[in-house]
Amino acid sequence: VVDLIRRAVPLALTPEDDPIRDELKRLQEKKEEIDVLAHKQVRRILWSGLGLAMVQVGLFFRLTFWEFSWDVMEPIAFFTTATGIVMGYAYFLFTSRDPTYQDLMKRLFLSRQRKLFKKNKFDVDRLKELQNKCKTSLDASASIRNRVGLEVELDDALHKE
């Protein structure tokens, strides 16, 4: 009877020395570390993209006003812009999602998170099982949502797109 009551009672009412609670806490802490590392990697990728875009603008500026003229650079600028639009459309076709920066950031984050889970041999299924078993009200994704602003669920980490 006591075991049945413990299973029905939320985690907050279970004893402090419960091994399941300790394991859940360890897994949540490790997941938070992985999330922070994945976010750092995504930010590095995004800053690199900004750097490349700035180099492109600087290069086009230099070529337009010093090396060549606008008559030469106009078709190059046009086709570069058209290539960006085609890449956005291709992203939409492959992913069935809007090519927004927020969506790209979320997809990059989930990709990095999955790779780090695999690299660190993190058991996502076990974390989800413990959360369900303990009926915890603690949201595992609350930390990353507060730090990053991404709405990422634990189920997203389990599914590859």
Side-chain angles (χ1 to χ4, degrees), residues 4-55:
L4 291 174
I5 292 173
R6 274 197 183 148
R7 286 189 206 131
V9 174
L11 179 64
L13 300 178
T14 57
E16 290 292 324
D17 60 348
D18 189 9
I20 293 175
R21 183 181 182 143
D22 292 337
E23 183 181 3
L24 177 61
K25 186 177 179 181
R26 274 195 326 272
L27 286 174
Q28 285 178 332
E29 287 171 357
K30 188 167 183 175
K31 182 185 179 301
E32 185 174 333
E33 290 172 13
I34 289 172
D35 288 349
V36 168
L37 184 58
H39 180 253
K40 284 181 183 177
Q41 290 177 358
V42 168
R43 296 298 294 183
R44 246 184 255 127
I45 291 169
L46 294 176
W47 278 104
S48 299
L50 175 65
L52 289 173
M54 290 175 64
V55 166

Side-chain angles (χ1 to χ4, degrees), residues 46 87-89 91-92 95-108 150:
L46 294 176
M87 287 172 53
Y89 188 68
Y91 177 87
F92 169 74
T95 64
S96 299
R97 295 181 184 209
D98 290 334
T100 62
Y101 294 112
Q102 190 69 20
D103 185 62
L104 178 64
M105 184 174 178
K106 182 177 177 179
R107 291 179 60 81
L108 281 172
L150 282 177

